[in-house]
Amino acid sequence: MLPGKEEQQKINDLARDFEAATGAQALAAVSGKADDYPELPWKAFAIGAALAALIVVADEFLTPDWASIHAPILDAAVILASGIIAAVLAMRWPAMGRLLLSQQQTGAQVRKYAEGLFLRREAFRTTGRTGVLILIAGFERRASIQLDTGLAQHLPREEIAAVIGEMAPHVRSLAWVDAFRAGFDGIAWRLSAKGVKLHAHGNELADGAIVENGE
């Protein structure tokens, strides 16, 4: 799920090209998962058990067998097993896990992770407050862009949302390099269209794509 060494090098090259073109300081980051979602297995268990219970009850009504209707232990075992299987699948199969989480929830967690990473990496310490962090979360298939104040004054939230939208098709397919290219190019193009050229003060943020397993 995480980018390989060759992809990381290409992503790092994109960040350097972006810095040279804009004067900003860039961090490119990938997280395997923005949150551990402790409620996910319980939600999957509840749904799996509820569906199994519905099937068991429907079967009793559709095909009544008075000789076997008094087998509550078997019915309970089927319901519990279905819930456990659903919980395991939700944890092991990302596509199923995402189905059980709302877009608002995953979006909030990815944004929170990006904000925390921006602070941990001290992207705010550039001379002109021109740091930018682009984060892609693999499990959630979502991206977040964090700007320091020197950049945020030129790029309002709706424009950053548009850049994230341009990244989205590549993020969904985990085309890491294409996703970061869309992000960096989107920001650079918008700055250029406004005639914004920032003053670089050397390489103030560490190079190298940040790759973390996440939560």
Side-chain angles (χ1 to χ4, degrees), residues 107 110-111 114 134-137 140-145 163-165 167-168 171 179:
V110 172
R111 185 171 58 253
I134 298 182
L135 168 76
I136 297 176
E140 292 83 358
R141 300 293 202 277
R142 297 181 72 94
S144 180
I145 298 176
V163 175
I164 292 175
M167 297 173 62
V171 172

Side-chain angles (χ1 to χ4, degrees), residues 60-100:
E60 295 292 355
F61 277 104
L62 295 175
T63 56
D65 182 356
W66 300 108
S68 63
I69 199 170
H70 300 293
I73 295 178
L74 177 60
D75 290 346
V78 170
I79 293 170
L80 288 174
S82 299
I84 292 171
I85 291 171
V88 171
L89 286 175
M91 297 302 293
R92 299 292 182 88
W93 187 18
M96 181 177 176
R98 286 192 296 274
L99 285 175
L100 300 178

